[in-house]
Amino acid sequence: MVQETPTPAAADESAAPKNSWYSPLVTFFSSVHVAVITLILLATISIIGTVLQQENIGDVEDNLRLLQQFFGDAGRAQRAYDVAEKIGFFNLYHTWYFYTLLSVLSVSLIVCSLKRLPTTWRIMARPKVELEDAGFKNSPNRRALSLRQPAAEAAAAVSGILAKAGYRVREGERDGARHLFAQKGAYSRLGIYVTHFSIIIIFIGGILGSLYGFKGAMNIVEGETTDEYMPRGGRQTARLPFQVRCDDFNVDYYPGSSRPKDFYSRLTVVDGGREVLKERIEVNSPLKYKGIWFYQSSYGDTGRGLTATIRAVDPKSGAAHDLSFTDRTPQEVPGTQVRVQLQRIYPDFTMDENRQPTSRSNQPRNPVAQVGVLLPDGRTQVAYLFKLRPDLKTARDLPLDLSFTNVESLQYTGLQVVHDPGVWVIWTGCSLMVLGLWFAFFVSHRRVWVRLREEGGATAVALAGNANKNRETFGEEFEKLGDAVQALAEARA
């Protein structure tokens, strides 16, 4: 028969240690059942870790509210919360059993690979050049033909055809016949081992990031410098070994709206009292220094350094005046004896449950100025001026036409701080995985055997071949090889 790749069972049997003290361990870790159960447990932990807030990611108190919704009873929810906390469900990826499962899966991958690799290597490196008669007869791909030339000359011609098709050819002799063995894509058999190795590399990268990495948030007001950040899920600030200064922060808005189009910061890294790095960052364009990444993630108004501009138009004369306010000091509109006082700015105006004006956030999504109009007779009228809706009037019979034209204040830039020493290890593992899967699924090991025997003044040529994957495609290629040898025979006739 054509020499087939040994089945996994046969490979296991040939490679399994006999009567050694570690045989039970090898049997255990090479078991498919152990691998499947381990994968199921890891998947279950991942699902739980996705549903429940983790300590280093969010607020674990949210889990109590989730359990209350699930049980519908505060007492049962609290008991479930306490049990989940004790067994580490709120910090799953740092628990001993999570690391144990990763270790079991890693050892399983290593043991399986070591058991099967010798057989695979033997097939690749030491193939059987001379195929038995039964192999030619039973091969799913076979051809038989005759060449009118000596066996040595015919072998050289056939070898050239195989080499032209990309095969590496070996020659041998046995029982008065010449044998050729040709193969290509043999390295594809290593794809599964590369994939196993890549999974272990990814595990190592994940553990490195989990043990020695951190994530947090840093807010820096324009012009200020800090080395403090708030770790994700933490309650106390931590410090970096260097400082970061926000030199400038800007927001670009879509025309005619308060919807941000882009926002970016100009940062300076100060290390040991020296400015060592200046960089402009924006979303998806971070700054990196000493293995720590700073991503642009948010921003906001501090309310400090406020400057608001109110335009006052005298309806009698038509004269317009821009009044600039930095505090509550009233300003007189020239020629009217009317004064205007800026009383308050609502960056994101809304009404609360008591129908009182308030602000949803510090973001200038809907800025409104509350102003007092001080009349010559001592009376004061209050008006709300909507920056995005200058046509909206909240006070009647004002002596001036007022509009809110601009507001500026010091802003802070919100940065996400990330340090993950395992990220490049993970990327290396992912690259190896892609490479291994490509070889494992899309490249096949193709082998061709040729026997040339002189018979009655001619050379009888027998061809056989197989592939471990994509057999239909190989069948077509084998037919082309056979046709090329047939054309050689006809040319010599």
Side-chain angles (χ1 to χ4, degrees), residues 107-322:
V107 173
S108 177
L109 291 172
I110 293 171
V111 171
C112 289
S113 298
L114 291 178
K115 286 186 65 176
R116 291 166 173 77
L117 185 58
T119 302
T120 301
W121 187 258
R122 186 167 62 250
I123 293 172
M124 294 171 50
R126 299 196 300 273
K128 187 176 182 180
V129 177
E130 300 86 9
L131 192 63
E132 306 295 340
D133 289 342
F136 285 102
K137 292 179 181 177
N138 298 323
S139 173
N141 303 289
R142 58 184 183 273
R143 291 282 287 268
L145 44 88
S146 178
L147 294 178
R148 292 188 176 280
Q149 53 188 303
E153 188 177 336
V158 174
S159 179
I161 292 173
L162 291 169
K164 189 177 180 181
Y167 286 84
R168 296 185 64 181
V169 184
R170 298 185 182 188
E171 296 187 23
E173 288 189 21
R174 193 179 70 181
D175 301 332
R178 290 180 176 272
H179 292 264
L180 301 178
F181 170 74
Q183 67 174 348
K184 65 179 178 181
Y187 54 83
S188 66
R189 291 184 180 273
L190 298 177
I192 190 63
Y193 304 102
V194 174
T195 304
H196 286 179
F197 183 64
S198 70
I199 294 173
I200 296 172
I201 293 294
I202 291 173
F203 285 169
I204 293 173
I207 292 173
L208 283 176
S210 176
L211 293 179
Y212 303 108
F214 61 81
K215 291 183 179 178
M218 172 183 277
N219 293 335
I220 312 177
V221 180
E222 289 177 280
E224 295 187 359
T225 305
T226 185
D227 59 356
E228 292 186 343
Y229 71 97
M230 179 61 72
R232 182 175 291 181
R235 299 182 184 278
Q236 294 184 338
T237 59
R239 291 182 179 277
L240 298 173
F242 52 86
Q243 294 180 311
V244 181
R245 185 178 69 227
C246 177
D247 296 323
D248 190 21
F249 175 78
N250 287 286
V251 184
D252 294 335
Y253 296 95
Y254 286 99
S257 75
S258 60
R259 192 157 59 95
K261 180 181 180 182
D262 189 17
F263 50 100
Y264 47 91
S265 305
R266 298 186 187 279
L267 303 179
T268 297
V269 177
V270 181
D271 193 354
R274 294 186 305 110
E275 295 181 356
V276 294
L277 181 64
K278 288 179 176 285
E279 200 157 312
R280 177 185 185 272
I281 71 165
E282 56 187 314
V283 177
N284 296 327
S285 180
L287 176 151
K288 181 187 178 186
Y289 182 70
K290 287 190 174 179
I292 300 176
W293 296 81
F294 297 87
Y295 293 89
Q296 182 72 69
S297 61
S298 64
Y299 64 92
D301 282 324
T302 63
R304 295 156 45 190
L306 181 72
T307 302
T309 303
I310 306 296
R311 173 163 294 180
V313 178
D314 183 355
K316 295 179 181 177
S317 64
H321 305 277
D322 288 330

Side-chain angles (χ1 to χ4, degrees), residues 30-66:
S30 61
S31 168
V32 175
H33 296 89
V34 171
V36 171
I37 291 172
T38 305
L39 286 172
I40 291 174
L41 291 174
L42 284 171
T44 304
I45 287 178
S46 299
I47 293 172
I48 295 173
T50 302
V51 173
L52 297 179
Q53 289 283 358
Q54 299 297 293
E55 288 181 1
N56 58 340
I57 297 177
D59 186 359
V60 296
E61 295 300 323
D62 290 343
N63 296 325
L64 182 58
R65 290 186 283 272
L66 179 67

Side-chain angles (χ1 to χ4, degrees), residues 343-361:
Q343 297 179 338
R344 185 173 178 181
I345 295 291
Y346 299 93
D348 191 5
F349 182 85
T350 188
M351 302 292 285
D352 65 13
E353 62 274 12
N354 298 318
R355 305 301 299 167
Q356 295 298 315
T358 185
S359 183
R360 279 182 292 245
S361 68

